[in-house]
Amino acid sequence: MDPVSIARLILTCCEVGERVVKICKTLVDVDSQVQERSLTIQSYWHTSRLQLDFLKRIESVLDEDLCRLIDGLLLQLSQKLSVADTALDKFTRRNAPERSGLWGFGSKAKKASWVWKKDALDQIISDLDTWHRRFDPLWFMVTKTTSPLVDTALAGAQSAHGDRSNARGAVSVAKNPLTVAAGMRRVLYPSANLLKPKFLAEVQMEVSKISLSEATKGFMESERRWYIIDTVQVGPFARARDVLKDVSMLAVKLAQADPLAFGLLNCKGVIPVQSQPIESPASSLSSSSSRSRHDYSSFQLVFRLPDNMSALQSLRQLLLASDELVSLSRKMRIARELAKAVHYVHTFAFVHKNVRPESILCYEDGRASRSHAFLVGFDAFRAADGGTVMTGDMSWERNVYRHPFRQGFDPAERYRMQHDIYSLGVCLLEIGLWESFVEYSEEDEEFGRPRAQFGEPYYRFKNWLAEKGQATMKEARPANTFQALAFSLKQYLVEQARTRLAPRMGDKYAHIVLSCLTCLDDEKEDFDRREIEDVDDDTVAIHFAEKILNDLDQISMI
């Protein structure tokens, strides 16, 4: 990739962007709603300008594939800014001073003019918001670049622009992007600093269940605030010190998370739960030399909720209800935010290992037309380059989301990022069809919660398998009967995506789901399986950002 191309596009974007801002600043005395929209446009450009200036400083050390993606997005930004420049120029020319009054029209003409201006400004805001959603994943891939020049350039950019929050307005990266990038680098390369997770003392909390969710809500009376509690168990085959190491690093990294930008909740700290009573408080954990780490039975990740978002539902609960009142736009928002969250888990150098509707919390505020989805359920996660326990289970409610090589008591492959992408594909299929692949009984008296059970989707799969007969089983690659059944399930899900999804969500959405479900297939190009052991995690993440996130953002429901 020619670095001159990126430099030239950055220059073009800056020239047009400054013209747009200059026009916006002339609208300060116009109607308050016009002024508010003008400030939002300026806020988007403020964020863009910080990112562009940083890119200009480091483009010489960026990976070729990353440069190619950035080049394409910069071209899109220059086009969107040019459209905005043209629209705002028309805006100001319609306010020519020779006309009577500020607007220069009678009451009817004034009303029509206001509608046109409002629509024009809203379109500019929508275009810039869409661009930022597409660029954000690449921005964080840029921050992972392992070069001393990145840290030098970041310090220079922060000094040049000032380390302050964005101007007024809501943007995709809610904080100053340079501040977020600096925080990301501090936690992505922990050997260069002494960052440690915040261990919290065990406190009495009012616990509230979230129906059909991996997580619970906890109310801290002392703070008068609700938190999300996500428990990571120390399994029978795991070593507590290894789990603690991963939990500590996850907590440190998620302490930097911007929930609305990442789809991951911000972590307040960790509550270690010991398997037996101890005398000293949990808060002294990090300094205690006499305590054995093998005493820990679990760790509770405590996540902050964004303001005014205490009313959460699991995606599973939503899928089990009718979608009569669920718009296509809402389904797309859930799909985009889930894909974004999976991407950032991988950006933080972890694999999730439990992507399913019970691990997804959804918030919807119909009055404010807001909705968000957050990924939790970190009970099985681990560092992407860490060891993995080659054990599993036979539960339908979990295996239906696992790649065939990861199903059953004895998985055939070590877990990798592509397995999360496969799980994402199953979830996107459910969202598109709005069908729950798992059903639940009424609350079980013995366990105090609903129990997963076979439902209509399972029996449809059995009927499909019976119709296909032995031909399907013979087509499966493995000789092992259970693994053959697992590949038949994958084949069934792929067929559902090919035959049922497009009429409901469109061809592009169906293609995205198929890309996820076939991401480990030999013939699939989106996620190349050739010499897959040599494919590094950053390459997987870049391809994911290009093939999945970008395609999801390009789908329009208008």
Side-chain angles (χ1 to χ4, degrees):
M1 175 60 62
D2 181 9
V4 176
S5 175
I6 289 181
R8 183 169 56 247
L9 283 169
I10 290 175
L11 179 62
T12 300
C13 289
C14 289
E15 290 176 348
V16 182
E18 291 302 321
R19 287 204 304 269
V20 168
V21 169
K22 184 177 180 180
I23 297 174
C24 284
K25 288 180 178 178
T26 66
L27 304 178
V28 293
D29 296 325
V30 187
D31 179 276
S32 61
Q33 294 188 52
V34 172
Q35 182 181 0
E36 181 179 354
R37 287 165 169 80
S38 169
L39 289 171
T40 300
I41 293 171
Q42 293 179 62
S43 174
Y44 276 113
W45 174 245
H46 176 77
T47 298
S48 301
R49 184 60 192 261
L50 293 178
Q51 293 170 321
L52 292 176
D53 180 67
F54 180 63
L55 282 176
K56 184 169 62 176
R57 296 168 184 258
I58 66 164
E59 47 85 17
S60 62
V61 299
L62 294 178
D63 174 85
E64 184 176 350
D65 284 343
L66 192 56
C67 281
R68 176 175 52 82
L69 297 178
I70 291 173
D71 188 79
L73 282 173
L74 288 178
L75 179 60
Q76 291 180 23
L77 178 61
S78 68
Q79 293 169 344
K80 290 180 184 298
L81 289 172
S82 296
V83 171
D85 185 34
T86 302
L88 288 171
D89 183 60
K90 291 181 180 179
F91 190 117
T92 54
R93 284 192 284 107
R94 289 197 178 194
N95 289 336
E98 64 270 14
R99 294 174 178 172
S100 60
L102 177 61
W103 301 96
F105 296 94
S107 59
K108 290 184 179 180
K110 179 179 177 180
K111 183 176 180 180
S113 178
W114 156 240
V115 171
W116 178 85
K117 292 176 173 65
K118 173 180 175 295
D119 290 344
L121 292 173
D122 284 344
Q123 184 60 53
I124 294 172
I125 292 171
S126 176
D127 286 345
L128 294 177
D129 179 69
T130 298
W131 185 85
H132 271 282
R133 284 204 317 269
R134 294 175 184 172
F135 183 72
D136 285 349
L138 296 184
W139 172 248
F140 292 106
M141 290 301 300
V142 167
T143 66
K144 291 183 66 176
T145 302
T146 54
S147 169
L149 178 61
V150 175
D151 295 300
T152 302
L154 189 56
Q158 287 180 293
S159 175
H161 292 282
D163 195 5
R164 61 187 184 274
S165 299
N166 281 338
R168 178 181 172 186
V171 296
S172 181
V173 179
K175 301 177 182 177
N176 183 312
L178 301 179
T179 304
V180 176
M184 286 278 290
R185 288 191 69 78
R186 285 197 299 271
V187 298
L188 286 171
Y189 306 105
S191 60
N193 57 72
L194 300 176
L195 286 177
K196 294 183 181 297
K198 183 177 181 181
F199 289 100
L200 309 173
E202 290 191 60
V203 295
Q204 291 293 325
M205 285 189 287
E206 176 190 339
V207 177
S208 175
K209 297 178 181 178
I210 302 175
S211 181
L212 308 182
S213 173
E214 294 276 338
T216 59
K217 288 197 300 181
F219 185 77
M220 288 191 182
E221 183 66 34
S222 59
E223 300 182 18
R224 304 295 301 170
R225 183 177 181 133
W226 284 98
Y227 290 92
I228 296 296
I229 310 299
D230 200 356
T231 300
V232 180
Q233 299 288 346
V234 178
F237 300 102
R239 294 186 298 183
R241 65 173 177 268
D242 293 336
V243 177
L244 175 60
K245 179 182 177 182
D246 283 348
V247 167
S248 298
M249 190 50 60
L250 179 68
V252 167
K253 292 183 177 183
L254 292 187
Q256 301 291 329
D258 178 348
L260 302 187
F262 291 6
L264 299 169
L265 295 173
N266 182 274
C267 186
K268 175 182 175 69
V270 180
I271 300 177
V273 179
Q274 302 235 340
S275 56
Q276 57 187 17
I278 58 173
E279 295 180 0
S280 54
S283 57
S284 65
L285 167 69
S286 58
S287 61
S288 174
S289 59
S290 61
R291 188 173 307 138
S292 169
R293 292 183 173 182
H294 292 283
D295 289 337
Y296 309 140
S297 61
S298 64
F299 301 93
Q300 294 179 333
L301 292 160
V302 181
F303 292 113
R304 297 180 178 91
L305 277 171
D307 292 337
N308 304 316
M309 285 195 190
S310 58
L312 295 164
Q313 290 180 292
S314 70
L315 178 59
R316 176 69 68 206
Q317 186 178 12
L318 292 176
L319 289 172
L320 286 168
S322 169
D323 66 341
E324 183 178 358
L325 300 178
V326 182
S327 67
L328 286 176
S329 296
R330 185 180 181 188
K331 293 177 183 178
M332 280 304 309
R333 285 196 297 270
I334 295 173
R336 285 172 179 147
E337 302 228 323
L338 174 56
K340 178 174 63 178
V342 171
H343 171 71
Y344 284 123
V345 169
H346 294 172
T347 299
F348 282 127
F350 292 104
V351 286
H352 189 275
K353 300 182 66 176
N354 191 30
V355 179
R356 60 194 189 109
E358 286 82 356
S359 300
I360 302 158
L361 297 180
C362 299
Y363 171 82
E364 181 81 13
D365 183 349
R367 294 171 299 176
S369 298
R370 293 189 304 163
S371 67
H372 297 284
F374 306 104
L375 182 62
V376 291
F378 286 94
D379 63 305
F381 90 101
R382 66 163 173 79
D385 60 353
T388 186
V389 177
M390 299 294 287
T391 60
D393 55 63
M394 300 294 288
S395 62
W396 162 264
E397 67 270 19
R398 290 182 180 271
N399 280 322
V400 69
Y401 299 97
R402 293 170 176 158
H403 187 272
F405 283 139
R406 288 295 307 177
Q407 291 187 29
F409 287 123
D410 187 21
E413 284 189 351
R414 177 181 178 275
Y415 204 94
R416 55 170 62 94
M417 288 182 178
Q418 290 96 326
H419 294 133
D420 277 344
I421 295 171
Y422 177 87
S423 301
L424 170 66
V426 181
C427 291
L428 295 181
L429 178 59
E430 280 183 291
I431 293 168
L433 298 177
W434 206 257
E435 292 181 1
S436 176
F437 293 166
V438 177
E439 296 186 4
Y440 281 82
S441 64
E442 296 297 326
E443 188 166 298
D444 188 284
E445 294 183 2
E446 179 182 354
F447 293 93
R449 61 180 184 273
R451 297 188 65 179
Q453 62 181 15
F454 296 132
E456 183 180 345
Y458 172 79
Y459 293 111
R460 281 206 302 266
F461 165 61
K462 285 193 67 176
N463 292 336
W464 174 87
L465 193 58
E467 291 176 4
K468 295 289 183 180
Q470 293 300 315
T472 300
M473 301 294 284
K474 289 179 180 179
E475 289 175 6
R477 289 176 290 179
N480 178 285
T481 302
F482 177 78
Q483 206 169 83
L485 183 64
F487 272 95
S488 294
L489 174 59
K490 172 180 173 291
Q491 186 178 344
Y492 170 75
L493 296 176
V494 167
E495 183 176 298
Q496 294 293 295
R498 282 181 174 149
T499 59
R500 300 181 58 207
L501 202 51
R504 291 167 170 79
M505 298 294 289
D507 291 335
K508 183 168 288 188
Y509 187 94
H511 176 73
I512 291 168
V513 173
L514 288 169
S515 293
C516 291
L517 293 177
T518 60
C519 67
L520 283 169
D521 287 9
D522 292 330
E523 68 278 5
K524 189 64 179 176
E525 295 182 1
D526 287 356
F527 299 96
D528 196 351
R529 189 172 170 80
R530 293 170 299 175
E531 301 180 356
I532 196 149
E533 297 297 338
D534 297 326
V535 175
D536 62 84
D537 292 337
D538 284 350
T539 299
V540 173
I542 289 173
H543 285 194
F544 180 83
E546 179 181 24
K547 297 296 183 181
I548 305 301
L549 294 181
N550 191 50
D551 286 352
L552 279 171
D553 272 326
Q554 287 182 355
I555 296 176
S556 174
M557 289 296 172
I558 299 176

